[in-house]
Amino acid sequence: MESNKKYWKGLEEYNNTPDFVKNNKNEFAEPLPIEDVLNEAGLSTVTPRRDFLKALGFGLGAVTLAACQSAPVHKSIPYLVKPEEVTPGIPNYYTSSFNGQSILVKTREGRPIKIETNPNAGEFNWGTDARAQASVLDLYDVSKLKAPVLKNQETTWAKIDSFVKGELAKAQAGGKKIRVVASTVNSPSTNAVIAQFITKYPAAKLIQYDAVSYTGIIQANQNSFGKAVLPKYNFDKADLIVSFGADFLGTWISGETFTAQYTANRNYKSLENKKMSRHIQFESGMSLTGTNADTRVPVKLSEEGPALIALYNAITGQSLPGGTLPNNSTADKVIKLAAKELVQAKGKSLVVCGSNDVSTQILVNAINAALGSYGTTIDLDNPCYLYAGNDAEFSGFVAEMGRGEVGAVLFLNSNPVYDFMNSKAFTDALAKVPAKISFADRADETASLCDAIAINHNYLESWGDANAYEGYYSIVQPTINPVFNSRQAEESLLTWADAPVKDYYQFVRNNWETKMLPALGLKWNDVLEKGVVTVTAKPAAAYSFSLSLAAVASSVLNSSKSLAKGGDQVELQVYENIPMRDGKNANNAFLQELPDPVSKVTWDNYVALAPKFAEKLKVKEFDVVTVKGGNGYSIDLPVLIQPGQAQGTASIALGYGREKVGKAGNGVGKNAFPFISFVNGTMQYASNVTITPTGGYYELAQTQTHHSFEGRNVIREATFKEYLKNPAAGTGKSEEGHKNYDLWDKWEQPGNSWVMAIDLNACTGCGSCVVACNVENNIPVVGRDEVRRRREMHWIRIDRYYSYETPTGDVTREKEIAKLEDLDHVSVVHQPMLCQHCDHAPCETVCPVLATVHSSDGLNHMAYNRCVGTRYCANNCPYKVRRFNWFNYWNDSRFDNYLNNEFTQLVLNPDVTTRSRGVMEKCSMCIQRIQGGKLKAKIEKRPLKDGDIKMACQEACAANAIIFGDANDPNSEVSKALRSERIYYVLEEINVKPGIGYMTKIRNTDTTVQA
């Protein structure tokens, strides 16, 4: 199989463009900034020849100055009265909750600095996504308001309360409506607060509005089964998964939950038991989930409906009209094959769809009911409460405002002026409301139009709770006193409602102690300690489907026909990407600099087009085009050529184009929310647009092809069928092996030998490990322009490789170049790449000052204050995982948008040095965590146990793709993993003896249908 595959990171490498060749031959494309360094040191760069020795006297050269600059001085103030729970140098951990997921918050000297998973969460211990890891930075965001605002002026809480209560009373007395507009509220205590508020003001009503809606699924379940819920999907119980545009490993409903479930049937433990699920994905744009599919079929947005009808007909034997796909097309063939496989896997199969159309979701319900999925892979009795927005209700609310019926509106965690599809209509209607109050923490697009901004706490300053799934409750508790003069939104509502208990901590505690804890036999402190309470799940019942599908099929077909206009009309999909999601966290620099898992673009959105379709439109990569919708809205965006994109379609990410979010996020990308349409009562994320070249050019900041392996094969993969025959299939291991000759003597490692195993079958490429590493190790954000210069600082990267089978098996460049159409059907592999901590490290032998050395426990160390920045080590590293500090990112005004201020620097981990300009840095294998684990075991007078030490990247991974431990412990999880026959080492042939083993990528491409 391997001999017929060619792997490449991007079209530059695929086409071997002159720029790609030049940049990868000249690894550091720009010279060292000697002039800047000398000027900073007070020396003129116009130096007479006779003064050469004077300049040289600064050490080994001017660069040494950059490496040895002193760090900023921070005065420390000793405690007069030390808080009992705080011991300097020792972290404290508090349970809390982020987006309904129970977490641990690590604090140092009262500062929250890191988010971890809560081991008490049981089956809901999902790992954490990139947003959760980055969320700690939002606490220290300098763009937030420092005090409440009334009529665009800072004010006091007493004046806010007086104004709001007066306006609410006026609206109530005048017969006007009061509306609380909030994104989904799944907090039992918040709902109880809103109920008290409505008791005080009967004219009030809660309107739940989600920027990205799941109303279609909720309403379809109401129509199909009488249950208006978002189901709990059990991907771990599915042997066969068929998805139509649902990015369930990325942004669809709860990506980290589904990732943990999905990989449980595909990781190394599952494979050792000879078990692996199969996954077929139909989609228009290349999604994170599509990159992980065993079989991926690009389809137009207008073909999704007919494909679902064809699948239903093939499974049930019915003949609903419209299930026609182009004869002998790939989609047609795979639909027929998938139908047979689904029937064979009845009761252990799952069909999901990303559409928000009610009729489409009813059809999906009918398919799942025919397959016996309800009660097994789909649970309607223990539903998900993460999304409860009602599109029709919100549309009705906008109409109410337009008619002048609303006297007061309060916005809680919602920003419809930015993320509603028709911002102008909403803004015009909002202007007719006499009193407008926002709980935002900044003057965002909606809050800036409000009369009062009652600034809310960050969740790390708050009390609260969450109910993400039926029977699963998590607590929110503050980990720091409020940084600014903010007040929790619930406390504001209680104050305005004249509630008997206005202290929200006491309200939450009372709510738990009276309604929840007695039945569980728990006390309040038990909840705070564990952070999560789970109630025995209800039995999941099977549901039968009895609706007539004639009208449903007709509606699905009409929607498809409205998209399939042809001519100059392009089918546009707008979607959430991993870093930005709906744009709420657009001012988070860690997320802005996280590369998109598929395109590897940072700091921008773009128009994704298939290579052949871009050629048809006569545009090239980075050409700026105008995208114009049927509603007249248009934006100019650069083109990204995306292999795997369906022909005749385009994709644009939501969440960009913020104008009032803060220094880092303002003006980044363009807003795609206005391309959403409202059809049959729900938001639709597909529409028709025209794409016109402007003649402009805009280079996107991509990270993918900044480092090259010069054509050497670093990816190993095999099919599941091949694996069953030979577990070592694809690893490249020969039965005879070959003799290695070493230049170094072997030496014993009697203590620990720290190593890592990475399962390519489990890694989905989501990038949460990248952000976790950034936060843990004080890795600076460099910004769009520096990324363009190939200067990103990430210590761990996720390399994305495209591949396809060459038709002839001949992989020489002259014969393997495929037609552009062939790039529609590429497969993808994600590979985490970090310092390999080689036993025979090439970096160590070329360092002139011994700044990089090997430790007795198998790690490659960096002595930052010894490094003089020659960059020899980076040139000699075959894995290209070393980073050079071009600037003092922590103390340079050019990076003021990100981390260059004393307040934001409170997020820094004090256990990790912030590196100065002119030094090399790279993955340290979280040496601070290793030493902390050793010290804890020593204090407790016990030996170190496997699992005591977890890397930041490992801790964040929902897929458990990263395994760390001691190779000298034969019973450690990593030792067991490294004994897997799937293990191979990247570039093993050069004999650098890396300390990280990879497990081959296994694809279940073999049909389970019996002939």
Side-chain angles (χ1 to χ4, degrees):
M1 178 178 174
E2 290 177 333
S3 62
N4 288 0
K5 278 216 167 185
K6 173 69 178 177
Y7 296 92
W8 34 282
K9 291 183 177 181
L11 291 174
E12 308 99 307
E13 183 175 1
Y14 178 79
N15 294 316
N16 208 30
T17 62
D19 284 345
F20 176 79
V21 174
K22 175 185 175 183
N23 288 333
N24 279 283
K25 294 297 181 186
N26 183 11
E27 186 173 343
F28 294 101
E30 298 180 46
L32 284 168
I34 300 296
E35 292 188 7
D36 289 347
V37 173
L38 289 172
N39 287 334
E40 288 174 9
L43 284 175
S44 169
T45 55
V46 184
T47 305
R49 185 174 180 178
R50 63 184 178 178
D51 290 337
F52 172 73
L53 290 178
K54 184 191 298 182
L56 190 63
F58 284 93
L60 295 177
V63 180
T64 312
L65 289 173
C68 298
Q69 286 180 359
S70 60
V73 174
H74 296 282
K75 295 181 180 179
S76 60
I77 302 174
Y79 287 116
L80 293 177
V81 180
K82 184 181 78 67
E84 183 179 349
E85 70 277 7
V86 174
T87 301
I90 304 298
N92 289 62
Y93 292 87
Y94 299 90
T95 59
S96 191
S97 181
F98 178 80
N99 284 352
Q101 179 188 357
S102 185
I103 58 173
L104 293 181
V105 182
K106 177 182 179 181
T107 68
R108 282 291 302 270
E109 290 75 55
R111 296 180 294 117
I113 61 170
K114 184 72 173 59
I115 304 301
E116 307 283 12
T117 56
N118 185 356
N120 298 318
E123 69 165 305
F124 297 96
N125 185 8
W126 307 318
T128 49
D129 64 6
R131 288 180 304 163
Q133 287 296 326
S135 65
V136 69
L137 184 62
D138 294 331
L139 174 65
Y140 306 107
D141 188 347
V142 293
S143 299
K144 295 193 294 186
L145 294 170
K146 310 301 186 291
V149 171
L150 182 62
K151 303 294 184 181
N152 297 318
Q153 298 291 326
E154 281 195 4
T155 189
T156 64
W157 282 108
K159 291 181 179 178
I160 286 283
D161 294 341
S162 175
F163 169 79
V164 174
K165 290 172 78 171
E167 292 297 322
L168 292 173
K170 190 187 303 181
Q172 182 74 32
K176 293 293 183 78
K177 298 173 181 177
I178 300 171
R179 294 293 180 256
V180 179
V181 179
S183 58
T184 295
V185 178
N186 57 35
S187 163
S189 296
T190 302
N191 277 317
V193 168
I194 293 173
Q196 285 205 14
F197 182 80
I198 292 173
T199 300
K200 172 70 175 179
Y201 303 102
K205 180 182 177 182
L206 172 65
I207 305 289
Q208 297 191 85
Y209 160 74
D210 295 316
V212 175
S213 169
Y214 292 89
T215 299
I217 298 178
I218 296 170
Q219 189 59 51
N221 286 324
Q222 171 66 35
N223 295 353
S224 302
F225 310 112
K227 296 179 77 74
V229 295
L230 195 60
K232 179 187 177 187
Y233 294 96
N234 299 315
F235 287 87
D236 53 331
K237 296 181 180 179
D239 290 343
L240 177 61
I241 302 161
V242 179
S243 169
F244 290 83
D247 185 16
F248 60 83
L249 297 179
T251 59
W252 191 70
I253 302 181
S254 181
E256 66 277 9
T257 312
F258 300 151
T259 295
Q261 295 176 350
Y262 177 84
T263 54
N265 283 338
R266 301 170 70 86
N267 61 18
Y268 82 96
K269 292 182 179 179
S270 178
L271 285 168
E272 286 178 351
N273 292 324
K274 312 299 182 186
K275 181 183 178 183
M276 182 180 179
S277 64
R278 179 156 148 75
H279 171 201
I280 301 171
Q281 183 87 2
F282 297 86
E283 61 184 11
S284 58
M286 179 75 85
S287 70
L288 180 66
T289 302
T291 64
N292 286 277
D294 298 308
T295 300
R296 179 186 180 274
V297 182
V299 293
K300 286 186 174 183
L301 296 161
S302 60
E303 293 173 343
E304 185 179 282
L308 279 165
I309 294 173
L311 182 64
Y312 175 80
N313 288 342
I315 288 171
T316 63
Q318 300 294 315
S319 54
L320 287 176
T324 305
L325 294 168
N327 197 30
N328 288 325
S329 66
T330 302
D332 184 49
K333 293 175 183 177
V334 177
I335 283 289
K336 293 173 181 176
L337 178 66
K340 294 177 181 178
E341 293 191 51
L342 286 166
V343 171
Q344 194 175 75
K346 193 171 182 179
K348 293 184 177 181
S349 59
L350 177 59
V351 178
V352 293
C353 178
S355 171
N356 197 41
D357 177 63
V358 177
S359 295
T360 301
Q361 291 294 345
I362 290 175
L363 186 57
V364 173
N365 289 351
I367 292 171
N368 280 310
L371 294 170
S373 299
Y374 291 97
T376 55
T377 57
I378 303 178
D379 185 352
L380 290 176
D381 298 291
N382 298 281
C384 172
Y385 298 125
L386 290 173
Y387 295 94
N390 188 311
D391 296 347
E393 195 171 65
F394 184 78
S395 181
F397 158 68
V398 177
E400 286 177 341
M401 290 196 301
R403 294 191 297 267
E405 297 172 4
V406 179
V409 59
L410 297 86
F411 295 100
L412 174 60
N413 195 28
S414 61
N415 184 13
V417 171
Y418 163 69
D419 55 33
F420 184 55
M421 61 182 183
N422 192 337
S423 178
K424 185 178 185 305
F426 184 87
T427 304
D428 291 346
L430 184 65
K432 299 179 181 179
V433 179
K436 303 172 282 289
I437 301 99
S438 173
F439 295 107
D441 62 1
R442 68 198 68 218
D444 62 25
E445 290 85 349
T446 302
S448 60
L449 300 180
C450 291
D451 304 296
I453 308 177
I455 58 174
N456 198 4
H457 291 337
N458 180 275
Y459 83 99
L460 293 170
E461 304 165 318
S462 303
W463 284 101
D465 49 25
N467 179 203
Y469 282 88
E470 178 68 31
Y472 171 62
Y473 300 89
S474 53
I475 199 74
V476 178
Q477 62 176 321
T479 57
I480 189 173
N481 284 327
V483 177
F484 300 129
N485 185 20
S486 57
R487 185 173 72 184
Q488 195 154 352
E490 288 87 348
E491 189 165 325
S492 293
L493 289 171
L494 290 170
T495 300
W496 302 336
D498 294 322
V501 177
K502 298 181 178 63
D503 176 38
Y504 190 53
Y505 159 73
Q506 195 60 50
F507 186 95
V508 173
R509 181 169 181 171
N510 291 349
N511 198 45
W512 277 72
E513 290 182 333
T514 58
K515 296 181 181 179
M516 300 167 66
L517 295 182
L520 298 170
L522 295 174
K523 295 182 179 179
W524 174 245
N525 285 343
D526 297 332
V527 176
L528 296 185
E529 184 178 343
K530 291 184 63 178
V532 61
V533 172
T534 54
V535 181
T536 304
K538 301 174 184 176
Y543 288 82
S544 58
F545 187 91
S546 58
L547 286 180
S548 170
L549 290 177
V552 169
S554 176
S555 176
V556 170
L557 281 178
N558 288 338
S559 297
S560 298
K561 289 176 181 176
S562 68
L563 285 172
K565 292 182 177 179
D568 63 348
Q569 297 292 304
V570 178
E571 296 178 18
L572 174 70
Q573 173 199 32
V574 291
Y575 67 99
E576 287 185 287
N577 71 358
I578 297 293
M580 278 301 97
R581 300 295 292 260
D582 61 6
K584 279 188 174 69
N585 305 109
N587 204 50
N588 192 301
F590 282 141
L591 292 176
Q592 288 282 10
E593 195 143 302
L594 174 66
D596 179 273
V598 180
S599 67
K600 298 301 175 182
V601 171
T602 68
W603 291 98
D604 269 305
N605 58 346
Y606 46 82
V607 184
L609 298 174
K612 184 68 176 178
F613 190 53
E615 185 182 68
K616 179 181 177 182
L617 294 177
K618 298 181 180 178
V619 294
K620 297 179 180 178
E621 189 154 74
F622 303 155
D623 283 355
V624 178
V625 297
T626 297
V627 183
K628 186 174 183 179
N631 59 359
Y633 179 74
S634 67
I635 52 176
D636 291 348
L637 278 175
V639 167
L640 181 102
I641 305 300
Q642 178 61 64
Q645 182 82 24
Q647 296 294 325
T649 69
S651 296
I652 301 176
L654 299 166
Y656 293 85
R658 295 292 304 271
E659 296 300 332
K660 295 184 178 181
V661 67
K663 287 184 176 182
N666 285 343
V668 175
K670 299 294 175 64
N671 187 3
F673 276 104
F675 290 120
I676 295 173
S677 55
F678 187 77
V679 181
N680 297 330
T682 58
M683 308 283 190
Q684 299 300 310
Y685 300 90
S687 61
N688 292 112
V689 297
T690 58
I691 295 179
T692 311
T694 65
Y697 181 87
Y698 180 89
E699 181 185 358
L700 293 166
Q702 278 179 291
T703 64
Q704 184 62 46
T705 52
H706 289 184
H707 312 282
S708 171
F709 288 106
E710 299 294 336
R712 290 177 288 188
N713 188 8
V714 299
I715 295 294
R716 305 294 173 89
E717 62 178 315
T719 67
F720 186 48
K721 186 176 181 180
E722 291 169 336
Y723 169 81
L724 292 176
K725 290 180 180 179
N726 174 19
T731 60
K733 298 174 184 174
S734 63
E735 294 184 5
E736 298 179 2
H738 63 276
K739 184 171 177 60
N740 289 328
Y741 297 91
D742 292 340
L743 297 175
W744 294 268
D745 293 331
K746 291 185 178 180
W747 45 277
E748 296 297 324
Q749 291 178 272
N752 304 116
S753 178
W754 302 116
V755 293
M756 186 177 281
I758 297 177
D759 188 354
L760 295 184
N761 231 47
C763 176
T764 64
C766 70
S768 64
C769 57
V770 177
V771 180
C773 179
N774 286 358
V775 179
E776 172 71 21
N777 293 294
N778 299 338
I779 296 174
V781 176
V782 302
R784 177 197 288 120
D785 291 339
E786 291 301 296
V787 173
R788 282 180 182 148
R789 293 186 175 97
R790 310 157 66 86
R791 293 174 174 176
E792 67 274 9
M793 296 299 294
H794 296 148
W795 284 5
I796 181 172
R797 65 178 193 261
I798 310 293
D799 288 339
R800 182 264 297 120
Y801 292 91
Y802 298 121
S803 67
Y804 61 85
E805 292 284 350
T806 56
T808 63
D810 188 340
V811 295
T812 59
R813 172 154 294 278
E814 292 76 17
K815 295 183 180 179
E816 62 83 21
I817 296 296
K819 297 177 182 178
L820 288 178
E821 296 94 320
D822 292 336
L823 299 182
D824 295 346
H825 300 284
V826 294
S827 59
V828 178
V829 180
H830 300 280
Q831 183 182 53
M833 183 53 62
L834 61 159
C835 175
Q836 302 288 290
H837 294 272
C838 312
D839 275 351
H840 294 171
C843 55
E844 296 171 10
T845 58
V846 295
C847 180
V849 291
L850 288 180
T852 180
V853 294
H854 217 69
S855 72
S856 60
D857 50 4
L859 298 181
N860 175 261
H861 288 330
M862 276 296 305
Y864 298 127
N865 64 345
R866 192 183 291 167
C867 175
V868 297
T870 63
R871 303 180 294 179
Y872 297 159
C873 58
N875 280 311
N876 217 38
C877 174
Y879 305 100
K880 302 307 170 193
V881 289
R882 289 175 165 260
R883 304 287 175 259
F884 179 71
N885 275 278
W886 290 87
F887 298 96
N888 272 334
Y889 300 103
W890 310 104
N891 192 26
D892 191 311
S893 61
R894 285 168 287 193
F895 304 96
D896 187 44
N897 289 356
Y898 318 130
L899 300 169
N900 177 42
N901 61 80
E902 289 186 353
F903 180 58
T904 308
Q905 288 174 13
L906 290 172
V907 78
L908 296 179
N909 183 355
D911 293 329
V912 180
T913 304
T914 53
R915 284 72 63 187
S916 297
R917 183 182 191 180
V919 304
M920 298 298 303
E921 60 182 75
K922 51 90 196 176
C923 165
S924 68
M925 206 67 87
C926 288
I927 187 64
Q928 69 280 2
R929 290 188 172 220
I930 294 174
Q931 294 304 109
K934 286 180 177 179
L935 181 60
K936 183 179 180 182
K938 185 176 181 180
I939 291 172
E940 295 176 359
K941 297 181 180 179
R942 61 171 176 81
L944 200 60
K945 299 194 303 285
D946 186 43
D948 279 351
I949 302 169
K950 286 193 173 183
M951 301 295 95
C953 54
Q954 174 189 16
E955 184 87 37
C957 182
N960 195 29
I962 300 173
I963 306 163
F964 171 84
D966 185 3
N968 285 347
D969 176 3
N971 296 316
S972 65
E973 187 180 359
V974 75
S975 292
K976 295 174 183 176
L978 290 174
R979 289 197 291 269
S980 167
E981 294 183 80
R982 289 172 52 218
I983 284 290
Y984 75 97
Y985 293 88
V986 173
L987 303 182
E988 188 172 8
E989 62 273 17
I990 63 177
N991 200 33
V992 296
K993 296 192 178 299
I996 299 178
Y998 290 82
M999 299 185 194
T1000 52
K1001 175 74 174 180
I1002 305 296
R1003 290 192 188 277
N1004 195 352
T1005 55
D1006 309 296
T1007 176
T1008 59
V1009 174
Q1010 303 299 315

